[in-house]
Amino acid sequence: MKISILMIFIGGPDNREALAVAWRMAGHPGTRLSVVRMLLFDEAAKVDTSCRTEAQSILSVVLDSDMQNDLDDEYLNSFRLTAVNNNDSISYSEVDVHSGEDIPIVLNELRNFGCSLYI
């Protein structure tokens, strides 16, 4: 029985944990894992600071976002070097997203992959 998994990676600790689970599932015979990272640019990447009232709080959100991006990059680089380069049943690609309206379009395109499981 063949199982195909599509993991959509946006970023953050929950996505890194989900990727760890998907990566582990991909270790089973007959399982194919495709990881698609959505890279957020322009208005899609803006940090919502509207509920923040103090400058220090806004700075904290921006710094945390930068730190999470660095952790995402580090984890995905490890994933790509370890898993993608050593396993033909695991693939990795990236999609640029520039606005909130692009997200449903990208998700609809990914749905056409016809996978058994979407994460």
PDB file of all heavy atoms in Angstrom, residues 18-31:
ATOM      1  N   ALA A  18       5.454  19.322  13.344  1.00  0.00           N
ATOM      2  CA  ALA A  18       4.690  18.572  12.343  1.00  0.00           C
ATOM      3  C   ALA A  18       5.617  17.959  11.299  1.00  0.00           C
ATOM      4  O   ALA A  18       5.406  16.822  10.864  1.00  0.00           O
ATOM      5  CB  ALA A  18       3.661  19.485  11.679  1.00  0.00           C
ATOM      6  N   LEU A  19       6.655  18.700  10.904  1.00  0.00           N
ATOM      7  CA  LEU A  19       7.617  18.162   9.949  1.00  0.00           C
ATOM      8  C   LEU A  19       8.363  16.975  10.548  1.00  0.00           C
ATOM      9  O   LEU A  19       8.621  15.989   9.865  1.00  0.00           O
ATOM     10  CB  LEU A  19       8.598  19.239   9.486  1.00  0.00           C
ATOM     11  CG  LEU A  19       9.677  18.777   8.506  1.00  0.00           C
ATOM     12  CD1 LEU A  19       9.070  18.114   7.272  1.00  0.00           C
ATOM     13  CD2 LEU A  19      10.559  19.942   8.106  1.00  0.00           C
ATOM     14  N   ALA A  20       8.693  17.056  11.822  1.00  0.00           N
ATOM     15  CA  ALA A  20       9.369  15.930  12.485  1.00  0.00           C
ATOM     16  C   ALA A  20       8.496  14.670  12.429  1.00  0.00           C
ATOM     17  O   ALA A  20       8.991  13.569  12.166  1.00  0.00           O
ATOM     18  CB  ALA A  20       9.707  16.292  13.926  1.00  0.00           C
ATOM     19  N   VAL A  21       7.197  14.831  12.644  1.00  0.00           N
ATOM     20  CA  VAL A  21       6.270  13.690  12.595  1.00  0.00           C
ATOM     21  C   VAL A  21       6.169  13.162  11.163  1.00  0.00           C
ATOM     22  O   VAL A  21       6.231  11.942  10.940  1.00  0.00           O
ATOM     23  CB  VAL A  21       4.883  14.090  13.143  1.00  0.00           C
ATOM     24  CG1 VAL A  21       3.850  13.000  12.900  1.00  0.00           C
ATOM     25  CG2 VAL A  21       4.973  14.421  14.631  1.00  0.00           C
ATOM     26  N   ALA A  22       6.016  14.063  10.196  1.00  0.00           N
ATOM     27  CA  ALA A  22       5.922  13.650   8.794  1.00  0.00           C
ATOM     28  C   ALA A  22       7.197  12.947   8.344  1.00  0.00           C
ATOM     29  O   ALA A  22       7.148  11.936   7.638  1.00  0.00           O
ATOM     30  CB  ALA A  22       5.637  14.865   7.910  1.00  0.00           C
ATOM     31  N   TRP A  23       8.332  13.464   8.769  1.00  0.00           N
ATOM     32  CA  TRP A  23       9.632  12.877   8.425  1.00  0.00           C
ATOM     33  C   TRP A  23       9.728  11.465   8.976  1.00  0.00           C
ATOM     34  O   TRP A  23      10.194  10.550   8.306  1.00  0.00           O
ATOM     35  CB  TRP A  23      10.703  13.779   9.007  1.00  0.00           C
ATOM     36  CG  TRP A  23      12.125  13.523   8.626  1.00  0.00           C
ATOM     37  CD1 TRP A  23      12.630  12.485   7.895  1.00  0.00           C
ATOM     38  CD2 TRP A  23      13.247  14.337   8.984  1.00  0.00           C
ATOM     39  NE1 TRP A  23      13.992  12.606   7.777  1.00  0.00           N
ATOM     40  CE2 TRP A  23      14.396  13.739   8.434  1.00  0.00           C
ATOM     41  CE3 TRP A  23      13.392  15.496   9.706  1.00  0.00           C
ATOM     42  CZ2 TRP A  23      15.665  14.271   8.596  1.00  0.00           C
ATOM     43  CZ3 TRP A  23      14.648  16.032   9.861  1.00  0.00           C
ATOM     44  CH2 TRP A  23      15.772  15.424   9.312  1.00  0.00           C
ATOM     45  N   ARG A  24       9.247  11.287  10.191  1.00  0.00           N
ATOM     46  CA  ARG A  24       9.271   9.946  10.791  1.00  0.00           C
ATOM     47  C   ARG A  24       8.351   8.994  10.028  1.00  0.00           C
ATOM     48  O   ARG A  24       8.695   7.841   9.790  1.00  0.00           O
ATOM     49  CB  ARG A  24       8.867  10.032  12.256  1.00  0.00           C
ATOM     50  CG  ARG A  24       8.986   8.728  12.952  1.00  0.00           C
ATOM     51  CD  ARG A  24       8.777   8.871  14.432  1.00  0.00           C
ATOM     52  NE  ARG A  24       8.824   7.556  15.027  1.00  0.00           N
ATOM     53  CZ  ARG A  24       9.295   7.305  16.201  1.00  0.00           C
ATOM     54  NH1 ARG A  24       9.752   8.284  16.944  1.00  0.00           N
ATOM     55  NH2 ARG A  24       9.308   6.086  16.685  1.00  0.00           N
ATOM     56  N   MET A  25       7.160   9.485   9.626  1.00  0.00           N
ATOM     57  CA  MET A  25       6.237   8.645   8.852  1.00  0.00           C
ATOM     58  C   MET A  25       6.854   8.256   7.522  1.00  0.00           C
ATOM     59  O   MET A  25       6.613   7.161   7.008  1.00  0.00           O
ATOM     60  CB  MET A  25       4.907   9.369   8.633  1.00  0.00           C
ATOM     61  CG  MET A  25       4.076   9.480   9.886  1.00  0.00           C
ATOM     62  SD  MET A  25       2.385  10.087   9.617  1.00  0.00           S
ATOM     63  CE  MET A  25       2.658  11.721   8.991  1.00  0.00           C
ATOM     64  N   ALA A  26       7.648   9.158   6.943  1.00  0.00           N
ATOM     65  CA  ALA A  26       8.266   8.896   5.644  1.00  0.00           C
ATOM     66  C   ALA A  26       9.298   7.774   5.714  1.00  0.00           C
ATOM     67  O   ALA A  26       9.701   7.248   4.681  1.00  0.00           O
ATOM     68  CB  ALA A  26       8.914  10.172   5.100  1.00  0.00           C
ATOM     69  N   GLY A  27       9.703   7.403   6.908  1.00  0.00           N
ATOM     70  CA  GLY A  27      10.651   6.310   7.067  1.00  0.00           C
ATOM     71  C   GLY A  27      10.049   4.936   6.836  1.00  0.00           C
ATOM     72  O   GLY A  27      10.770   3.951   6.723  1.00  0.00           O
ATOM     73  N   HIS A  28       8.736   4.850   6.747  1.00  0.00           N
ATOM     74  CA  HIS A  28       8.077   3.569   6.517  1.00  0.00           C
ATOM     75  C   HIS A  28       8.048   3.243   5.029  1.00  0.00           C
ATOM     76  O   HIS A  28       7.849   4.134   4.195  1.00  0.00           O
ATOM     77  CB  HIS A  28       6.648   3.597   7.074  1.00  0.00           C
ATOM     78  CG  HIS A  28       6.614   3.703   8.560  1.00  0.00           C
ATOM     79  ND1 HIS A  28       6.785   2.626   9.383  1.00  0.00           N
ATOM     80  CD2 HIS A  28       6.442   4.773   9.363  1.00  0.00           C
ATOM     81  CE1 HIS A  28       6.724   3.017  10.645  1.00  0.00           C
ATOM     82  NE2 HIS A  28       6.525   4.327  10.662  1.00  0.00           N
ATOM     83  N   PRO A  29       8.242   1.982   4.685  1.00  0.00           N
ATOM     84  CA  PRO A  29       8.238   1.583   3.268  1.00  0.00           C
ATOM     85  C   PRO A  29       6.913   1.946   2.594  1.00  0.00           C
ATOM     86  O   PRO A  29       5.848   1.856   3.195  1.00  0.00           O
ATOM     87  CB  PRO A  29       8.414   0.066   3.316  1.00  0.00           C
ATOM     88  CG  PRO A  29       8.981  -0.217   4.665  1.00  0.00           C
ATOM     89  CD  PRO A  29       8.490   0.866   5.573  1.00  0.00           C
ATOM     90  N   GLY A  30       6.999   2.366   1.345  1.00  0.00           N
ATOM     91  CA  GLY A  30       5.806   2.696   0.575  1.00  0.00           C
ATOM     92  C   GLY A  30       5.241   4.078   0.863  1.00  0.00           C
ATOM     93  O   GLY A  30       4.163   4.412   0.388  1.00  0.00           O
ATOM     94  N   THR A  31       5.962   4.875   1.627  1.00  0.00           N
ATOM     95  CA  THR A  31       5.491   6.215   1.970  1.00  0.00           C
ATOM     96  C   THR A  31       6.315   7.256   1.224  1.00  0.00           C
ATOM     97  O   THR A  31       7.535   7.198   1.216  1.00  0.00           O
ATOM     98  CB  THR A  31       5.602   6.467   3.496  1.00  0.00           C
ATOM     99  OG1 THR A  31       4.857   5.459   4.177  1.00  0.00           O
ATOM    100  CG2 THR A  31       5.055   7.818   3.857  1.00  0.00           C
TER     101      THR A  31
END
